[in-house]
Amino acid sequence: MITGAHTIMYATDAEAARGFLRDVLGLSHVDAGDGWLIFRSPPAELAVHPAEQPGRHELYLMCDDLEATIADLTGKGVEFTGGISDQGWGRLTTLRVPGAGEIGLYQPRHPTAYDLT
């Protein structure tokens, strides 16, 4: 039986990325040893999109109110790297994770699966 999913974010500066997830996003975590933090993910869902080449994966965080979340995170020093775009399925922006590149943040308009039992 599958009991969860483990997502890996690769970072050139793992300490900066971990600090961002811990201190800015406030994600709960455990220390797996020697400061190796594993974070509790928000409720999640998994989608499979068609592609010409396999092997590409993306990470998006979701929120209920994109403007309010942007304002809150901006106040915590988060750098947003894109404006808000309307994708039909939701409203999307991108933010920088120190040492780990960019991830998406969006307010979904599609039915969500993260709260299914």
Side-chain angles (χ1 to χ4, degrees):
M1 176 60 85
I2 295 175
T3 60
H6 184 89
T7 304
I8 299 172
M9 178 183 290
Y10 291 95
T12 56
D13 186 343
E15 287 304 314
R18 290 176 185 142
F20 176 83
L21 297 173
R22 180 190 61 226
D23 302 332
V24 177
L25 297 187
L27 297 180
S28 300
H29 61 278
V30 296
D31 188 327
D34 298 322
W36 194 276
L37 304 183
I38 299 176
F39 294 89
R40 181 182 184 279
S41 297
E45 52 190 33
L46 173 67
V48 178
H49 292 244
E52 299 210 5
Q53 297 292 322
R56 179 177 165 208
H57 310 289
E58 299 177 3
L59 175 62
Y60 294 88
L61 300 177
M62 296 188 294
C63 63
D64 292 327
D65 183 331
L66 190 59
E67 282 82 4
T69 303
I70 289 171
D72 179 57
L73 293 175
T74 298
K76 295 178 179 180
V78 173
E79 176 189 355
F80 285 86
T81 56
I84 297 173
S85 62
D86 186 333
Q87 300 295 316
W89 44 263
R91 299 174 63 240
L92 171 70
T93 189
T94 54
L95 60 94
R96 186 171 317 282
V97 176
E102 297 178 358
I103 60 173
L105 172 67
Y106 82 102
Q107 180 179 339
R109 288 192 183 124
H110 61 79
T112 57
Y114 61 78
D115 57 353
L116 297 175
T117 56

